[in-house]
Amino acid sequence: MSQRYKVIDSAEPTFVTITIIDWVDLFIRPLYFKILDDSLNYCIENKGLNVHAYVYMSSHIHMIISSHDNQLQGIIRDFKKHTSKQIIKAIKEYPESRRDWFLNKFS
């Protein structure tokens, strides 16, 4: 999350965009969408995240989210950290035509 923008009230619906480094078209394979879904569902079930709307694009995610239980900055931080680790793991383990390029770009 940018250093310039902070969530003032986590209980209020907040528009968030999370992008891939250099807007790389990463989310073009079902495997990566599943990782996103699993991470987002985990945050909903275990971290008190309320998702009002979302859309996955090929290089970014738009969400309108809130939380009555926890601070959104912490939830977003954990979501991004976990998701990025899982995606890098998937790139290493599964066939990916751009594997070397991805790993070089994301390291």
Side-chain angles (χ1 to χ4, degrees):
M1 178 174 267
S2 172
Q3 296 293 344
R4 297 179 299 171
Y5 303 105
K6 299 292 180 195
V7 176
I8 304 299
D9 183 357
S10 292
E12 290 295 319
T14 303
F15 179 78
V16 176
T17 299
I18 300 172
T19 60
I20 302 296
I21 295 171
D22 293 336
W23 294 81
V24 170
D25 287 330
L26 176 68
F27 302 124
I28 58 172
R29 305 212 192 291
L31 172 64
Y32 305 135
F33 283 112
K34 175 142 177 34
I35 292 170
L36 279 176
D37 281 338
D38 291 347
S39 296
L40 197 56
N41 285 327
Y42 178 85
C43 290
I44 291 167
E45 294 167 7
N46 297 294
K47 294 187 173 279
L49 180 67
N50 299 318
V51 178
H52 305 281
Y54 71 96
V55 61
Y56 297 153
M57 307 300 284
S58 63
S59 62
H60 59 286
I61 309 161
H62 296 294
M63 299 185 289
I64 299 174
I65 56 177
S66 65
S67 177
H68 292 288
D69 300 332
N70 297 304
Q71 292 295 314
L72 280 179
Q73 291 98 324
I75 296 171
I76 294 168
R77 178 200 62 230
D78 294 348
F79 171 79
K80 289 169 57 174
K81 184 176 181 180
H82 174 76
T83 305
S84 65
K85 286 182 179 182
Q86 293 303 308
I87 287 173
I88 289 171
K89 180 180 172 187
I91 290 169
K92 289 178 180 177
E93 291 179 1
Y94 297 98
E96 171 59 65
S97 60
R98 303 179 289 174
R99 175 184 290 155
D100 293 336
W101 185 80
F102 276 151
L103 294 175
N104 186 44
K105 187 75 154 169
F106 300 146
S107 63

